[in-house]
Every structure is written in structure tokens, then in C-alpha cells.
Amino acid sequence: MFRIISTSRLADLDAHASALPLVRTKCDSLEKDLETEKRRSQALARDLEQAREQYDQQLAETARSYEERLAAADRSARLNDRLVEQANGRAHKVERLADEKVRELRDEIEQLKAKLAASPGQAQDGTIVFRYKNLVHAPIDLTLHVKDLGPGYPQVELKLVLLCAGCGYTQHKTRESADTSEARARFLTGDYEPGTVLKRWAQTHAEQCRAADLPLQRTA
């Protein structure tokens, strides 16, 4: 059975049919634009993923470098603490030794002061400055005695004693002098005749004496 279409409806169909190619063309253009935007979006997504991976890598490297620096700083701090502790220990040891030495020196000074104060004008213990041996090896000693001449008198008496422990032969010479090492050296070895003479006498006696060493002669 045939359907009757009105003239106005036919006109509308005809208008739609004539517009269909334009719509299709526009639709194809939109599909192409959509495909282009999809590709662009995918490219942006890949760039974003790469940028994120680079960021994560840099972040990891930064964290690792920070941890390494932190560990190095910690090691350096421990080393510095150990060095400071060792230095303090050495300083305390040196300070303790210095205090002990100062006390020893002070004690020696006080002893010397007490000795000088207790015995002004007395001869100090003799010091053997030269020793020879006679033909049987008995010692022939030259002993230096220093006598403080007392307060107010800035000189000492230097006494050089020659004593043979074998036969008891003895000689001595004295001289007043300032108590200096240079003065003693001059008295003993050349600038002052008695010392030189006694050394010559001792050597001559050593070449001739045959007396054995006896304890009695040592105190003659």
C-alpha cells in the first residue's frame, strides 16, 4: 500500500539530502582533527612520562648524594671528636708531667737554699775533675773543692787537691774567684798556673808510683 507524502515533507527531505554531503565533509574534518589531537595527547603523555622518570632519577641521585654526604660528615665528626679527645689526653699528660717537673725543680731549689743557708762559709763536697792511674792502677785524683766565702762576699775559694790513693802523696792549690764555669775552667786547665802544675805533677807521679790502692790513702 502506497504512502502519500506531502509536498512540504518532500521539500524537507530534499533539503536534508542536499545538506548531507556538507555534513559528511565536516564530520570527516572533525574526525581528522580528533585523530591529530589524540596523537598530540599521546606525545604529551610520553613526554610527561619521560620527564617524570628523569625527575625520579634525579631525586634518587640527590637523595643518594645527600646520604653519602651525611655519612661522610658523620665520619668526619667522629674523627674530629677522636682527635680532640686524643689531643686533650696528650695535653693533660704534658700538663701533669710539667707540674711534676716544676715540683721537683722547686724541691731542688728549696734544698739548695736550705743547704746554702745552713752552711755559709763551708766547703762544698769535692768533685773529681781529673783522674790518673799509677803503674799498679791505683787512682791519682785531682779533686775540686768550692768554698763559699759567705754573705756579702761575692767570690768563692777554689781548692784543687792532688791525692794518690796508693802512696798517699798529696798537694793542693787554692784561688779566690767568681763562681762561674769559665772561672773554674781557667783555674783547672791553663789560664791559671796552679791547676796546670798539679795536672803535670799528677801525670809525673803516675808514671813513677808503684804503690797499691789502699782505702786508708783515699782519705789522706
Side-chain angles (χ1 to χ4, degrees), residues 16-217:
H16 284 302
S18 59
L20 185 59
L22 182 60
V23 172
R24 186 176 298 277
T25 301
K26 188 172 183 179
C27 181
D28 292 340
S29 177
L30 290 174
E31 287 180 353
K32 291 180 181 179
D33 293 341
L34 180 61
E35 187 66 25
T36 301
E37 293 300 326
K38 285 181 178 180
R39 289 194 297 270
R40 183 179 298 174
S41 177
Q42 291 174 355
L44 291 175
R46 286 193 302 272
D47 294 341
L48 178 62
E49 186 65 24
Q50 292 177 356
R52 183 174 297 162
E53 290 177 355
Q54 293 177 356
Y55 172 78
D56 292 340
Q57 184 177 2
Q58 292 177 355
L59 183 62
E61 291 177 354
T62 301
R64 184 167 58 252
S65 177
Y66 173 77
E67 292 295 334
E68 291 175 352
R69 292 181 181 179
L70 185 62
D74 184 62
R75 290 194 300 271
S76 179
R78 289 198 300 270
L79 178 60
N80 289 336
D81 292 340
R82 185 164 62 252
L83 292 175
V84 168
E85 183 178 358
Q86 293 175 355
N88 289 334
R90 289 194 295 270
H92 291 158
K93 182 178 180 180
V94 170
E95 184 177 0
R96 186 175 63 256
L97 293 175
D99 291 340
E100 293 176 356
K101 191 63 177 178
V102 168
R103 286 194 296 270
E104 292 177 359
L105 293 175
R106 286 178 177 173
D107 292 340
E108 291 180 2
I109 292 173
E110 292 301 325
Q111 291 175 3
L112 290 174
K113 287 181 178 179
K115 185 176 180 180
L116 292 175
S119 57
Q122 298 297 320
Q124 299 179 8
D125 293 338
T127 301
I128 297 175
V129 291
F130 299 105
R131 169 168 286 180
Y132 300 87
K133 296 283 187 179
N134 69 4
L135 296 176
V136 291
H137 302 290
I140 301 170
D141 294 338
L142 285 172
T143 305
L144 177 65
H145 297 270
V146 181
K147 181 180 179 182
D148 186 1
L149 295 179
Y153 200 82
Q155 289 186 320
V156 294
E157 180 186 81
L158 302 176
K159 182 177 182 180
L160 188 62
V161 178
L162 165 63
L163 174 63
C164 176
C167 67
Y169 173 76
T170 182
Q171 290 286 343
H172 70 274
K173 294 292 182 179
T174 60
R175 179 193 182 191
E176 292 184 8
S177 172
D179 190 14
T180 63
S181 58
E182 292 81 2
R184 294 189 188 191
R186 289 195 302 269
F187 177 64
L188 295 175
T189 61
D191 291 346
Y192 187 64
E193 184 181 358
T196 305
V197 170
L198 287 185
K199 285 179 61 179
R200 186 170 64 250
W201 287 356
Q203 186 171 2
T204 301
H205 184 78
E207 295 172 352
Q208 298 173 354
C209 182
R210 294 179 178 273
D213 181 9
L214 296 178
L216 181 62
Q217 303 298 342

